[in-house]
């Protein structure tokens, strides 16, 4: 609640700043943008504490600057995501809304029909009858009743189920009954007209929906396929270029690192532009593939509807065959069923039109992207050409990630019956190169091995990347989350929003221990006597030789020795010398481990809002085994 309220207030300030700077942006997109940015706790706009005004101002300034530069690759990606989310996920609601809007436009005509209480004169009956014909013709969507031939056909169909005497009875009924009857009349007239059209005795102004849908499906599918081919040409070029620019090597600590080595004439900024543009086209590719799946789904559904339509017509022909008079309760249900099937077919046309609308909208965003293929082509070595994903995977299909020193489980791909059903994190992109390159989407190769860690499946693009990831899988996952916090366009593309929400209030996800200084075993040999002139010929190291000399100097060799000795005599002191042999020493570093137990959590129920004074404690602590 606190976070949502803060975002609403910040959103108002941002929209005010955008208005002052003449920045055209939709407020719903700003809300979408802010909610993604709020997943990064470093902005200081989440949590239960009072927001710091300096953090809020810094955040607002950052957002306004990003919105002002609306044609950057990250901003185009975010706008595509917002547009697709708002339109694709709401397509089924749009079908219902489209039919509701049609009935809303006919609401005035419907009210005029319902409000009639009685009709006594012939002219009033004709006027009411004409209104009903227009309403039914427009509501069914089978041609405009303003066309004389369509009007006559609808009038004849309505006359077969409602004569003039029944119209008088219709006007005397309650309002809700009139509404139900009018809806039923619309379905019956629709079914009758469809049946007459199938018999070759009508169908004026009616479009051949099965034929139109098939033609539209072919045209839409062909355009989507052509768009996908263009996208993949761009993707293959940029992916191959980045693959040649980023080199994997071992550092002095025997760890794999990525180094960017752009060729002559290409700067690091150009590499970053290609990397961000690749994200846009990968997102575009995902959406086009979803639209292709939707077209296939519409085609399958339409096929079933065509089949049901044919079966319904055959059944209706069987009922009315060689019969002059048929009871209403036998034939009317068939007409209503025929009308419902036709309405489902109309819904498929609306869905197909929505797919075309979404495809056109996505193309409009791509046109805003300012990218030249020459930059990516300059990154390719001489004689090299763009590789497809299949060709890239084929180069390493015989290699496998070694399991030695791996902290994650590596599973061979042959252990899975269907790799398509296996959910790969990051859409199958290399989980290690994703964050070490700051967002390069390089496809992983499942044939190298599936890395299972933290109940997730990861793939890498090379053996070196797999070794680096499997050595520290938890750290790599946390680094991926940190990357998504910085580049929020990756959150919905890679499908990791739920993961970011879980750690929304944790600023430092992974604290790496400090690196110890490097040591090396070396051998040293010094000269025995580097300075010959400094040698003292009279040097003596033995203490007894020194004592002997002292006695000689003191001329005590012929002195008389007494039987007593003073307490202060220095000759009482015993001197010892001890030499130490060199010994081998070993150093053992400590290994830290930890355990993570659930945090105790209780909820007091009944503190307020109860007339009695009874409270209950509900334990919400999660079980340890989870």
């Amino acid at each position: 609640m606190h976070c949502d309220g803060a975002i609403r207030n910040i959103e108002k300030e941002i929209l005010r700043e955008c208005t002052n700077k003449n920045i055209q942006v939709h407020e719903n997109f700003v809300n979408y943008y802010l909610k993604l940015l709020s997943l990064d706790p470093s902005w200081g706009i989440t949590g239960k504490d009072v927001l710091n005004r300096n953090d809020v101002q810094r955040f607002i300034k950052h957002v306004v600057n990003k919105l002002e530069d609306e044609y950057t690759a990250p901003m185009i990606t975010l706008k595509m995501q917002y547009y697709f989310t708002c339109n694709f996920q709401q397509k089924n609601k749009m079908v219902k809304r489209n039919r509701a809007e049609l009935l809303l436009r006919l609401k005035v005509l419907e009210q005029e029909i319902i409000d009639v209480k009685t009709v006594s004169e012939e002219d009033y009956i004709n006027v009411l009858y004409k209104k009903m014909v227009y309403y039914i013709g427009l509501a069914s969507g089978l041609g405009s009743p303003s066309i004389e031939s369509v009007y006559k056909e609808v009038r004849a169909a309505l006359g077969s189920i409602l004569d003039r005497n029944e119209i008088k009875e219709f006007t005397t009924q309650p309002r809700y009954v009139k509404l139900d009857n009018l809806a039923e009349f619309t379905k019956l007239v629709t079914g009758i007209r469809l049946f007459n059209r199938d018999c070759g005795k009508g169908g004026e102004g009616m479009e051949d929906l099965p034929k139109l849908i098939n033609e539209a499906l072919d045209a839409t599918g062909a355009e989507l396929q052509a768009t996908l081919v263009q996208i993949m040409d761009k993707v293959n070029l940029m992916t191959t270029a980045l693959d040649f620019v980023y080199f994997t090597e071992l550092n002095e600590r025997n760890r794999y690192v990525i180094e960017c080595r752009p060729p002559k004439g290409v700067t690091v900024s150009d590499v970053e532009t290609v990397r961000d543009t690749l994200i846009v086209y990968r997102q575009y590719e995902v959406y086009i593939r979803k639209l292709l799946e939707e077209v296939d789904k519409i085609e399958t559904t339409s096929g079933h509807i065509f089949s049901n339509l044919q079966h319904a017509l055959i059944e209706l022909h069987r009922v009315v065959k060689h019969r002059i008079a048929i009871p209403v309760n036998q034939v009317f249900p068939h007409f209503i069923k025929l009308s419902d099937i036709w309405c489902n077919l109309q819904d498929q046309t609306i869905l197909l039109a929505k797919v075309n609308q979404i495809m056109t909208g996505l193309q409009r965003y791509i046109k805003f992207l300012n990218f030249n293929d020459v930059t990516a082509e300059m990154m390719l070595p001489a004689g090299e050409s763009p590789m497809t994903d299949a060709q890239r995977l084929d180069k390493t299909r015989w290699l496998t990630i070694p399991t030695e020193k791996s902290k994650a489980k590596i599973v061979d791909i042959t252990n899975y019956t269907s790799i398509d059903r296996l959910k790969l994190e990051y859409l199958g992109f290399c989980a290690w190169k994703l964050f070490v390159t700051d967002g390069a989407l390089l496809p992983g190769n499942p044939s190298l091995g599936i890395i299972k860690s933290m109940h997730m499946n990861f793939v890498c693009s090379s053996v070196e990347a797999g070794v680096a990831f499997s050595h520290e899988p938890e750290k790599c996952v946390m680094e991926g989350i940190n990357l998504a916090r910085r580049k929020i366009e990756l959150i919905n593309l890679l499908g990791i929003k739920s993961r970011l929400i879980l750690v929304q209030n944790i600023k430092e996800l992974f604290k790496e221990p400090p690196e110890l200084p490097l040591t090396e075993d070396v051998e040293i040999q010094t000269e025995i006597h580097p300075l010959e002139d400094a040698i003292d010929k009279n040097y003596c190291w033995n203490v007894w030789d020194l004592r002997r000399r002292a006695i000689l100097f003191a001329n005590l060799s012929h002195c008389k020795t007494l039987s007593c000795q003073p307490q202060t005599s220095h000759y009482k002191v015993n001197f010892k010398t001890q030499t130490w042999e060199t010994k081998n020493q070993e150093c053992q570093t400590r290994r830290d481990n930890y355990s993570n137990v659930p945090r105790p959590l209780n909820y007091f129920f009944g503190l307020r809002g109860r007339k009695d004074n009874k409270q209950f404690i509900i334990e919400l602590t999660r079980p340890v085994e989870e």
Side-chain angles (χ1 to χ4, degrees), residues 26-282:
H26 198 278
E27 59 178 331
N28 291 338
F29 172 73
V30 174
N31 184 269
Y32 171 79
Y33 187 36
L34 294 184
K35 286 186 177 180
L36 291 179
L37 285 175
S38 66
L39 296 177
D40 185 1
S42 63
W43 289 113
I45 61 172
T46 58
K48 300 180 180 179
D49 299 330
V50 178
L51 299 183
N52 189 320
R53 186 59 187 172
N54 293 331
D55 292 339
V56 173
Q57 290 296 330
R58 179 173 61 91
F59 179 73
I60 292 174
K61 183 178 179 181
H62 170 78
V63 174
V64 172
N65 291 337
K66 292 293 184 182
L67 293 175
E68 188 174 11
D69 196 4
E70 58 180 343
Y71 296 126
T72 60
M75 188 56 62
I76 291 176
T77 306
L78 289 169
K79 289 185 177 181
M80 288 175 59
Q81 292 172 353
Y82 172 74
Y83 172 79
F84 190 84
T85 302
C86 293
N87 289 273
F88 186 78
Q89 294 182 355
Q90 303 294 328
K91 60 184 184 302
N92 293 325
K93 293 183 179 179
M94 188 203 67
V95 173
K96 298 179 181 179
R97 185 169 62 248
N98 183 79
R99 195 166 295 279
E101 290 175 354
L102 173 62
L103 296 178
L104 184 62
R105 288 193 293 268
L106 297 175
K107 195 68 175 178
V108 177
L109 183 58
E110 180 187 85
Q111 289 296 332
E112 293 180 1
I113 297 173
I114 300 301
D115 291 341
V116 177
K117 302 299 183 181
T118 57
V119 285
S120 57
E121 299 181 5
E122 189 71 19
D123 293 339
Y124 290 115
I125 295 177
N126 292 333
V127 171
L128 179 60
Y129 209 81
K130 186 174 183 179
K131 290 180 179 179
M132 295 179 68
V133 169
Y134 267 85
Y135 178 86
I136 292 173
L138 293 174
S140 63
L142 299 180
S144 174
S146 59
I147 301 174
E148 184 178 359
S149 58
V150 176
Y151 176 82
K152 290 182 178 179
E153 187 175 339
V154 176
R155 186 181 179 90
L158 180 61
S160 64
I161 60 175
L162 184 70
D163 58 20
R164 294 182 179 275
N165 294 328
E166 291 174 333
I167 288 182
K168 295 179 181 180
E169 183 182 352
F170 170 81
T171 58
T172 60
Q173 292 177 343
R175 183 180 182 85
Y176 68 92
V177 177
K178 292 181 182 179
L179 291 173
D180 293 340
N181 289 338
L182 196 59
E184 185 179 5
F185 294 158
T186 303
K187 289 187 176 183
L188 289 172
V189 170
T190 302
I192 292 171
R193 292 191 64 196
L194 291 172
F195 178 71
N196 292 337
R197 176 177 175 272
D198 189 66
C199 295
K201 298 179 181 179
E204 291 293 335
M206 297 173 58
E207 296 179 344
D208 189 357
L209 278 188
K211 181 181 178 181
L212 291 178
I213 289 179
N214 288 329
E215 292 177 353
L217 285 170
D218 294 338
T220 304
E223 187 173 357
L224 286 172
Q225 289 290 352
T227 303
L228 184 60
V229 170
Q230 296 175 1
I231 293 173
M232 294 313 299
D233 289 341
K234 297 274 190 180
V235 167
N236 294 333
L237 172 62
M238 289 183 283
T239 303
T240 307
L242 292 175
D243 214 4
F244 279 112
V245 167
Y246 290 115
F247 291 86
T248 306
E249 57 185 16
L250 286 171
N251 62 3
E252 64 276 5
R253 297 182 181 276
N254 202 29
R255 294 182 179 178
Y256 286 108
V257 295
I258 287 287
E259 183 178 352
C260 181
R261 299 175 188 170
K264 186 178 180 180
V266 179
T267 63
V268 177
S269 178
D270 294 334
V271 176
E272 293 175 353
T273 301
V274 174
R275 181 193 63 202
D276 293 341
T277 306
L278 178 59
I279 295 176
V280 180
Y281 276 95
R282 281 296 188 182

Side-chain angles (χ1 to χ4, degrees), residues 300-477:
T300 303
T301 306
S302 300
H304 291 311
I305 295 175
F306 296 158
S307 178
N308 293 336
L309 182 63
Q310 293 299 323
H311 286 305
L313 288 171
I314 292 173
E315 183 67 19
L316 187 56
H317 279 289
R318 186 185 63 81
V319 172
V320 302
K321 186 177 182 180
H322 304 307
R323 298 178 68 177
I324 300 175
I326 308 172
V328 170
N329 58 356
Q330 292 185 12
V331 71
F332 275 15
H334 292 279
F335 289 140
I336 293 176
K337 180 180 179 181
L338 202 59
S339 174
D340 292 336
I341 295 174
W342 192 262
C343 287
N344 292 335
L345 202 58
Q346 290 175 332
D347 293 342
Q348 298 306 308
T349 62
I350 298 173
L351 287 176
L352 192 57
K354 189 63 178 179
V355 169
N356 281 277
Q357 178 187 345
I358 295 174
M359 178 177 59
T360 304
L362 294 176
Q363 291 173 351
R364 183 175 64 252
Y365 286 110
I366 289 296
K367 291 179 181 179
F368 294 145
L369 189 62
N370 185 17
F371 176 72
N372 193 353
D373 293 347
V374 177
T375 305
E377 292 171 354
M378 292 174 61
M379 295 165 59
L380 295 177
E384 294 289 343
S385 59
M387 290 186 296
T388 64
D389 290 346
Q391 292 172 341
R392 191 176 297 104
L393 299 180
D394 189 64
K395 291 177 63 177
T396 57
R397 63 190 178 116
W398 303 112
L399 303 176
T400 55
I401 300 174
T403 57
E404 295 81 6
K405 298 182 180 180
S406 175
K407 296 182 181 179
K409 183 180 179 181
I410 301 176
V411 183
D412 195 292
I413 191 176
T414 57
N415 294 335
Y416 296 97
T417 56
S418 177
I419 190 65
D420 296 333
R421 298 181 180 179
L422 182 65
K423 180 183 178 183
L424 300 177
E425 298 298 322
Y426 306 137
L427 295 181
F429 294 113
C430 181
W432 182 71
K433 290 185 178 180
L434 175 67
F435 69 89
V436 293
T437 60
D438 202 28
L441 300 179
L442 303 175
N445 189 355
S447 63
L448 296 176
I450 307 296
I451 304 175
K452 301 181 72 66
S453 179
M454 302 172 65
H455 306 288
M456 293 180 287
N457 304 311
F458 302 92
V459 289
C460 293
S461 60
S462 64
V463 175
E464 296 81 4
V467 171
F469 184 88
S470 61
H471 182 66
E472 297 176 314
E474 291 83 3
K475 175 189 173 183
C476 294
V477 172

